[in-house]
Amino acid sequence: MSEPAVETRALHKRFGDVVALGSIDLVVERGTVLGLLGPNGAGKTTAVRILSTVIRPDGGTARVMGVDVVEHPAETRALIGLAGQFAAVDDNLSGRENLFLVGRLTHLARAEMHERSTRLLDQFGLTAAADRPVRTYSGGMRRRLDLAAALVHDPPVLFLDEPTTGLDPAGRGDLWEIVTQLVADGTTVLLTTQYLEEADQLADRIVVVDHGRAIAEGTASELKAELGATIIEFGMTDAAAAQRARIALDALPDATISAENHLVRIIVAEGAPAMVRALRILDAVHLEPVSAAIREPTLDDVFLTLTGHRAEEVA
């Protein structure tokens, strides 16, 4: 069996009294996407900065394509591409000139640089704007150009640190399509995100991180299955009514019940019978929901159950 594309063992990093990473283990198999899912401050970007040789860990090991990132940083940088939360492109250069600049920095031959730039501009839908200054690009175009720049030297491993932050739904969907095609062509991707839909859409496996530690790992389906089969939600008139409902619904067998603001949330194995019983309980204590819903669990439900807060909340 071939060595993983990315592997960390007991990786940890502190900034003063703050534990940014606390002994985290990650494995990204070749040709797959690993999603690091968590809120701001969870440690996702710190992990990427270590793996991309920007900062050194305080302990543990990190390897990319079998290369130790601390002992061999230059060799590591030749193996990776990095696209972060903000497009790192020069506004005064054209899209093509930006790619040429990266090609020169990575010591590509001129003919190879021209061939790859032309191919990437076409692949990322930027050919028509290739010779325009980047300051005239939309946010989505800038993000696509930034991703293209990360691929000029044809790296086998790509780190995407919250790449769709600030993009509208259409721009996010465009980037998802590009990432999907890159992986189909053999690229390995480590994706950090706080968007649950993004992790569900792109990642083969997901590691849920919070306060520098991995708290769960699995496929999206496996993580959702940990909650049980069904989520029942009742909307009440206000937060006080929701708390009264939560207390009354503790009588439901084999159910996990919580209340947040005006919403009561019930996790059960069998949804329909539980909803009938729940409505009878609420009726008995003279509480009437203003809304009721039954649905399959989402990754947001997983994160809320594991951490007590939603993935999009700022830690």
Side-chain angles (χ1 to χ4, degrees):
M1 182 180 293
S2 62
E3 192 167 13
V6 179
E7 184 174 21
T8 74
R9 295 296 179 194
L11 197 65
H12 57 275
K13 179 69 178 177
R14 297 178 69 98
F15 296 102
D17 294 332
V18 177
V19 178
L21 281 181
S23 193
I24 196 167
D25 296 342
L26 300 173
V27 176
V28 191
E29 300 296 343
R30 300 185 184 212
T32 68
V33 180
L34 179 71
L36 282 187
L37 173 64
N40 291 334
K44 307 185 304 294
T45 296
T46 298
V48 169
R49 292 176 71 194
I50 291 171
L51 286 164
S52 56
T53 76
V54 175
I55 60 174
R56 294 171 65 94
D58 293 330
T61 60
R63 303 174 72 85
V64 174
M65 304 298 286
V67 176
D68 189 294
V69 305
V70 175
E71 294 181 0
H72 304 288
E75 188 177 346
T76 300
R77 287 192 287 271
L79 295 168
I80 64 172
L82 172 64
Q85 299 176 33
F86 307 101
V89 292
D90 190 321
D91 283 351
N92 295 315
L93 300 179
S94 69
R96 191 185 308 277
E97 288 168 339
N98 267 280
L99 298 188
F100 271 41
L101 176 61
V102 174
R104 292 183 63 185
L105 292 172
T106 52
H107 310 293
L108 291 181
R110 187 169 185 83
E112 189 176 17
M113 188 164 52
H114 183 273
E115 186 276 327
R116 289 190 185 177
S117 297
T118 300
R119 173 169 51 83
L120 286 165
L121 288 166
D122 178 64
Q123 181 179 356
F124 285 71
L126 294 170
T127 300
D131 298 308
R132 281 170 33 199
V134 170
R135 63 175 176 271
T136 66
Y137 284 20
S138 67
M141 293 169 67
R142 289 168 60 89
R143 197 61 58 84
R144 296 202 305 273
L145 179 63
D146 187 46
L147 184 51
L151 296 168
V152 167
H153 61 299
D154 200 22
V157 177
L158 181 62
F159 298 136
L160 299 179
D161 189 17
E162 300 194 23
T164 62
T165 297
L167 292 185
D168 60 22
R172 189 176 297 174
D174 289 344
L175 209 62
W176 288 356
E177 288 185 14
I178 291 170
V179 172
T180 300
Q181 186 57 55
L182 288 171
V183 176
D185 292 339
T187 303
T188 301
V189 175
L190 175 63
L191 168 78
T192 80
T193 184
Q194 55 182 313
Y195 296 124
L196 298 137
E197 183 185 5
E198 188 159 86
D200 201 355
Q201 182 82 16
L202 294 177
D204 296 289
R205 293 189 67 77
I206 297 166
V207 175
V208 183
V209 293
D210 194 41
H211 295 98
R213 298 187 181 277
I215 58 175
E217 181 176 358
T219 65
S221 297
E222 287 169 349
L223 291 173
K224 292 175 187 178
E226 289 185 12
L227 275 82
T230 309
I231 306 291
I232 299 170
E233 291 178 334
F234 292 125
M236 309 303 293
T237 54
D238 53 35
Q243 289 298 331
R244 289 172 56 205
R246 180 190 61 78
I247 293 169
L249 289 168
D250 279 340
L252 274 176
D254 301 319
T256 301
I257 302 161
S258 61
E260 182 181 8
N261 298 323
H262 70 286
L263 193 67
V264 179
R265 179 170 167 270
I266 307 168
I267 303 173
V268 289
E270 296 183 358
M275 176 173 269
V276 172
R277 288 194 293 269
L279 287 170
R280 288 173 178 165
I281 290 170
L282 293 178
D283 184 60
V285 295
H286 309 293
L287 285 171
E288 184 175 343
V290 296
S291 65
I294 184 168
R295 60 179 175 79
E296 295 303 303
T298 67
L299 286 175
D300 202 2
D301 298 315
V302 174
F303 202 89
L304 183 60
T305 299
L306 290 170
T307 68
H309 58 84
R310 297 187 183 278
E312 288 86 353
E313 291 176 1
V314 177

